[in-house]
Amino acid sequence: MPPKKKKSKKSKKSKKKEEYLPSIFNIPQYENPDIVTPKVDLIIKLVHPVTDLFTLKIKVPITTRVEQIHEEISKMHQGAISGISVCRDRFSPEDVLDPKKTLEQCGIFDGEIKLLYDYKPIVGPLLK
């Protein structure tokens, strides 16, 4: 039997680093929406009676829905109110802000905004 030939091993250490071509897509840098979104200072007051007890000052982004402001008002009254109506600068039933819209869609973009609200009390809130 003839002797087996030894195979010569080639060194594979001379690999080149892969170079990537620049991306053909224009990918924007990520920006945190909590930082980038403008914020608004809201001063929310009860229409009648005018008192500081029912004044709420909060800072929210302009992407906040009016419905979330309704929830904050309800929390301030400990859930004993319903039928909340919120208006900007002056209160009139024709100027009520739509609860499904954001503050931005309602024309509120920056600064300190005064909101006025009215409500209907729940009869017998403990029985609910």
Side-chain angles (χ1 to χ4, degrees), residues 41-69:
D41 293 321
L42 297 179
I43 300 172
I44 305 167
K45 292 186 173 192
L46 179 63
V47 177
H48 296 291
V50 178
T51 178
D52 287 337
L53 294 175
F54 297 112
T55 300
L56 180 65
K57 295 179 182 180
I58 55 175
K59 187 170 190 165
V60 294
I62 61 172
T63 55
T64 303
R65 293 195 180 277
V66 177
E67 189 174 19
Q68 291 172 317
I69 295 169

Side-chain angles (χ1 to χ4, degrees), residues 22-126:
S23 177
I24 59 172
F25 302 106
N26 192 10
I27 301 172
Q29 186 176 2
Y30 174 75
E31 294 179 347
N32 189 348
D34 293 335
I35 297 171
V36 177
T37 306
K39 298 197 185 300
V40 176
D41 293 321
L42 297 179
I43 300 172
I44 305 167
K45 292 186 173 192
L46 179 63
V47 177
H48 296 291
V50 178
T51 178
D52 287 337
L53 294 175
F54 297 112
T55 300
L56 180 65
K57 295 179 182 180
I58 55 175
K59 187 170 190 165
V60 294
I62 61 172
T63 55
T64 303
R65 293 195 180 277
V66 177
E67 189 174 19
Q68 291 172 317
I69 295 169
H70 286 201
E71 290 174 8
E72 290 294 323
I73 294 169
S74 182
K75 283 181 192 175
M76 183 172 61
H77 289 273
Q78 299 173 353
I81 61 173
S82 66
I84 301 170
S85 302
V86 178
C87 294
R88 182 180 176 180
D89 296 326
R90 62 182 180 84
F91 190 83
S92 68
E94 297 86 29
D95 296 335
V96 174
L97 300 178
D98 184 13
K100 300 295 180 194
K101 290 185 177 180
T102 63
L103 293 175
E104 185 177 18
Q105 292 169 338
C106 293
I108 298 172
F109 296 105
D110 61 350
E112 189 173 276
I113 305 297
K114 183 178 176 183
L115 297 179
L116 300 170
Y117 73 95
D118 198 10
Y119 63 90
K120 296 175 187 171
I122 297 176
V123 179
L126 297 177

Side-chain angles (χ1 to χ4, degrees), residues 6-12:
K6 292 184 179 180
K7 295 181 181 179
S8 64
K9 296 182 180 179
K10 294 182 180 178
S11 78
K12 296 183 179 181

